[in-house]
């Protein structure tokens, strides 16, 4: 049929589409340090020359300079929407918006975020009157497609609406004044395009952050500017060559709720693993430290679970198994973002006490029956561990099964006994935990499904 089937572009039109240049706008500044990279100026436009790699694109700036830039720092001009505005924070949850605005502590400080109902937006506004608190307003649309917060004042677009309320409170608790500044810039997948081997002389090591299974972790600066965490691997604790190969794959895993691996220093010993720096440390300690304020805030605890679930759903989509998911292996960063760390590392540990289910360091309390019986790991064994992590979150960091010995825990799990409902946990959330602890792995929900169920419960709890 000449011109192709209705609705499908003709070959000429297709050619035209392919020739169309893609123009992107920088959402964040980026400083090119490595040769071949190109600096980005926030708000400036760039022509994309090659986007065949997922995380680093070759672009041209307005002066004709060409180089690689991190693809998560730009957005296609035509799809930009609200992202160019300082006040738009995208998918930030109600709870995180509240803590961000409270931290700023400025009358009239506000953000606009995606509502948990797809396609809708919410304005979160901080006021000190009569006492410091955050109000959330749904941005509604009338039949003419206009946006409004109070029906008397409708505007053609959300930016126009924001501008209107900068001058008139129009029924809001305060006029809109400022938005949180100095918001963190996201990590890049590796520190430069195609770079995962890091020169240790370019790392300036600072204070110790903690120590774990593999050795000491220190804060550091890469080339004097980028904050990093450096894990110094105790010699003999891991099968190094295999891990170094795997690190190339791991730097390419990128998600808001995964701790970014920047690369490794593998030429000398000990090996360094260099990752994104997370200022509030491990989730387990964070829960324990903030128990007093967190234990009554079910919405906040649920939001922590949803964040971890988003990171895990990404790993599941990539067929990547964590193998040691627990609150101690998640970290909390700026603006209280929660991220999953140490994914896949367990495969390279050489210590039998950690790798064999009979070993003293094996995470028995997070392991489902098929792991205890046959060491059979899968995304569904991660789901079981995720259920235990939810329990840790809702008890603000209690030890699962209390002081029970490993053998007693194994016995309980084999007999189908599960952890009790934590006090702070509503029954809908406990129902979800129970689904994670289905004896048969096939019956457990996927992380994708869990995420949807948790978001639904969250919507029911608070009118987001
Ligand atoms: P690990 O060896 O991963 O168990 O880490 C030991 C401790 O170091 C953790 O409990 C954290 O307190 C700290 N830590 C590890 N990685 C980071 C990071 N990326 N940012 C900040 N602190 C970290």
């Amino acid at each position: 049929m000449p011109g192709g089937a209705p609705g499908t572009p003709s070959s000429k039109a297709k050619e035209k589409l392919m020739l169309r240049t893609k123009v992107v706008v920088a959402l964040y500044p980026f400083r090119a340090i490595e040769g071949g990279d190109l600096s980005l100026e926030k708000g400036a436009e760039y022509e994309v020359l090659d986007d065949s790699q997922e995380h680093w694109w070759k672009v041209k700036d307005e002066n004709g300079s060409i180089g690689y830039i991190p693809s998560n720092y730009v957005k296609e001009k035509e799809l930009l929407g609200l992202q160019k505005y300082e006040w738009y924070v995208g998918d930030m949850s109600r709870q995180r918006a509240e803590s961000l605005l409270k931290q700023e502590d400025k009358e009239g400080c506000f953000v606009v975020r995606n509502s948990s109902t797809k396609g809708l937006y919410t304005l979160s506004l901080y006021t000190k009157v009569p006492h410091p608190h955050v109000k959330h307003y749904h941005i509604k649309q009338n039949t003419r497609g206009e946006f409004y917060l109070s029906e008397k004042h409708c505007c053609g677009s959300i930016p126009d609406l924001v501008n209107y309320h900068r001058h008139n409170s129009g029924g809001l608790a305060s006029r809109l004044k400022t938005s949180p500044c100095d918001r963190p810039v996201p990590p890049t997948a590796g520190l430069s395009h195609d770079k995962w081997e890091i020169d240790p002389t370019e790392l300036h090591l600072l204070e110790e952050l903690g120590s774990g299974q593999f050795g000491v972790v220190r804060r550091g600066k890469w080339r004097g500017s980028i904050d990093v965490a450096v894990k110094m691997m105790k010699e003999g604790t891991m099968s190094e060559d295999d891990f170094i190969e795997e690190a190339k794959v791991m730097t390419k895993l990128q998600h808001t709720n995964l701790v970014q691996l920047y690369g490794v220093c593998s030429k000398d010993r000990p090996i360094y693993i260099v990752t994104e720096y997370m200022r509030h440390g491990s989730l387990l300690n964070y829960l324990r430290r903030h128990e007093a304020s967190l234990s009554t805030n079910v919405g906040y605890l649920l939001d922590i679970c949803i964040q971890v679930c988003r990171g895990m759903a990404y790993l599941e989509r990539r067929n990547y198994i964590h193998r040691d998911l627990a609150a101690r292996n998640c970290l909390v960063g700026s603006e209280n973002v929660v991220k999953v760390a140490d994914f896949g590392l367990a495969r390279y540990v050489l210590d039998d006490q950690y790798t064999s289910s009979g070993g003293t360091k094996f995470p028995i309390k997070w392991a489902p029956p098929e792991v205890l019986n046959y060491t059979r790991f899968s995304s569904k064994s991660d789901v079981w561990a995720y259920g235990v992590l939810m329990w840790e979150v809702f008890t603000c960091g209690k030890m699962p099964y209390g002081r029970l010995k490993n053998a007693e825990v194994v016995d309980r799990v084999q007999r189908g006994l599960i952890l009790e409902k934590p006090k702070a946990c509503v029954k809908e959330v406990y129902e979800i935990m129970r689904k994670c602890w289905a004896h048969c792995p096939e019956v457990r929900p996927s992380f994708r499904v869990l995420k949807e169920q948790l978001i639904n419960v969250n919507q029911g709890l608070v009118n987001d």
Side-chain angles (χ1 to χ4, degrees):
M1 190 166 101
T8 57
S10 65
S11 55
K12 262 215 166 118
K14 264 190 208 155
E15 231 170 72
K16 230 175 158 184
L17 272 176
M18 283 167 72
L19 287 176
R20 193 175 62 106
T21 51
K22 179 152 113 180
V23 176
V24 292
V25 177
L27 302 174
Y28 310 97
F30 171 70
R31 191 152 70 93
I33 302 180
E34 205 67 32
D37 290 346
L38 184 73
S39 289
L40 290 174
E41 191 190 319
K42 191 176 169 186
E45 293 182 9
Y46 300 82
E47 183 186 330
V48 178
L49 305 178
D50 179 2
D51 60 3
S52 57
Q53 288 181 54
E54 190 180 353
H55 301 299
W56 291 87
W57 290 351
K58 196 185 217 176
V59 301
K60 183 158 83 176
D61 70 12
E62 57 180 13
N63 303 318
S65 304
I66 292 177
Y68 283 93
I69 53 115
S71 60
N72 59 329
Y73 276 43
V74 294
K75 180 95 181 175
E76 206 171 329
K77 192 178 173 190
E78 287 174 12
L79 306 175
L80 196 57
L82 297 178
Q83 272 186 292
K84 64 176 170 215
Y85 297 99
E86 299 287 331
W87 39 259
Y88 179 64
V89 292
D91 267 337
M92 183 180 279
S93 67
R94 175 191 178 99
Q95 291 78 15
R96 283 184 53 225
E98 282 191 7
S99 68
L100 175 64
L101 293 170
K102 280 182 185 157
Q103 222 167 294
E104 290 278 314
D105 193 26
K106 288 189 194 129
E107 179 69 20
C109 194
F110 73 101
V111 295
V112 173
R113 57 188 177 82
N114 298 342
S115 156
S116 53
T117 314
K118 254 205 165 80
L120 298 184
Y121 299 91
T122 303
L123 172 88
S124 302
L125 170 64
Y126 182 78
T127 175
K128 294 185 181 176
V129 186
H131 54 86
H133 68 295
V134 176
K135 301 235 357 157
H136 302 273
Y137 301 92
H138 289 154
I139 299 181
K140 302 201 185 79
Q141 257 182 307
N142 62 19
T143 47
R144 292 193 299 278
E146 293 168 324
F147 296 90
Y148 66 92
L149 290 161
S150 99
E151 258 170 308
K152 283 189 227 142
H153 313 288
C154 301
C155 296
S157 69
I158 294 180
D160 284 349
L161 185 69
V162 166
N163 270 339
Y164 173 79
H165 285 284
R166 280 188 193 279
H167 304 288
N168 305 280
S169 64
L172 304 184
S174 153
R175 227 162 27 80
L176 305 183
K177 291 181 182 164
T178 55
S179 317
C181 40
D182 293 334
R183 301 215 37 234
V185 168
T188 52
L191 290 166
S192 165
H193 115 272
D194 249 353
K195 182 184 176 78
W196 52 271
E197 179 68 46
I198 294 171
D199 178 352
T201 62
E202 295 177 349
L203 283 173
H204 178 55
L205 294 176
L206 300 159
E207 77 275 12
E208 189 173 317
L209 297 169
S211 67
Q213 168 77 21
F214 299 104
V216 171
V217 182
R218 284 175 68 177
R219 187 163 78 85
K221 284 259 182 211
W222 182 69
R223 292 204 174 176
S225 66
I226 296 181
D227 278 320
V228 295
V230 182
K231 201 175 268 194
M232 297 155 155
M233 307 302 283
K234 243 188 282 171
E235 280 177 73
T237 55
M238 91 179 319
S239 97
E240 295 178 342
D241 292 345
D242 293 343
F243 169 73
I244 292 163
E245 265 313 296
E246 178 66 11
K248 295 180 201 169
V249 177
M250 285 157 103
T251 50
K252 296 205 163 82
L253 296 170
Q254 183 173 57
H255 187 273
T256 322
N257 301 108
L258 291 187
V259 173
Q260 183 65 50
L261 175 67
Y262 284 136
V264 291
C265 304
S266 68
K267 300 270 189 273
D268 299 315
R269 294 295 176 270
I271 287 183
Y272 291 176
I273 298 182
V274 183
T275 67
E276 174 184 4
Y277 167 64
M278 301 288 286
R279 60 188 297 185
H280 299 300
S282 91
L283 173 61
L284 183 61
N285 288 334
Y286 180 86
L287 291 164
R288 290 177 177 170
R289 264 200 323 272
H290 298 284
E291 182 176 358
S293 58
L294 287 179
S295 60
T296 50
N297 197 340
V298 180
Y300 202 100
L301 297 175
L302 193 52
D303 183 52
I304 291 175
C305 295
I306 293 173
Q307 292 189 64
V308 174
C309 196
R310 287 183 198 275
M312 291 307 298
Y314 172 89
L315 288 184
E316 177 184 72
R317 271 202 307 282
R318 299 264 176 149
N319 295 318
Y320 208 93
I321 308 170
H322 191 300
R323 289 180 166 80
D324 194 6
L325 179 63
R328 63 182 173 278
N329 285 332
C330 295
L331 294 163
V332 185
S334 299
E335 299 183 350
N336 299 324
V337 67
V338 181
K339 305 196 184 203
V340 177
D342 291 342
F343 29 93
L345 269 194
R347 279 171 297 166
Y348 305 101
V349 177
L350 289 174
D351 185 348
D352 275 354
Q353 293 301 323
Y354 176 82
T355 52
S356 117
S357 62
T360 49
K361 296 183 199 157
F362 189 86
I364 294 264
K365 293 176 169 179
W366 287 259
E370 75 275 11
V371 167
L372 297 173
N373 293 330
Y374 321 107
T375 332
R376 193 178 289 155
F377 290 97
S378 65
S379 289
K380 293 299 176 81
S381 62
D382 280 350
V383 166
W384 177 290
Y386 176 75
V388 182
L389 179 145
M390 284 180 71
W391 187 93
E392 293 182 275
V393 170
F394 276 89
T395 55
C396 288
K398 296 253 154 22
M399 173 58 91
Y401 309 97
R403 292 207 190 120
L404 283 194
K405 300 235 170 57
N406 278 353
E408 294 169 305
V409 174
V410 173
D411 179 56
R412 280 182 71 117
V413 169
Q414 303 287 24
R415 284 192 292 129
L417 297 175
I418 54 168
L419 289 161
E420 278 177 16
K421 184 177 93 57
K423 267 204 208 87
C425 177
V426 293
K427 72 173 190 316
E428 293 90 333
V429 174
Y430 189 56
E431 261 322 297
I432 295 179
M433 283 183 207
R434 290 174 59 130
K435 287 183 189 163
C436 297
W437 299 325
H439 196 86
C440 181
E442 290 77 31
V443 178
R444 289 173 215 146
S446 63
F447 282 104
R448 186 180 58 78
V449 168
L450 280 172
K451 188 179 79 183
E452 280 159 19
Q453 294 183 347
L454 289 165
I455 290 172
N456 282 340
V457 173
N458 197 23
Q459 270 176 340
L461 281 181
V462 282
N463 183 13
D464 195 41

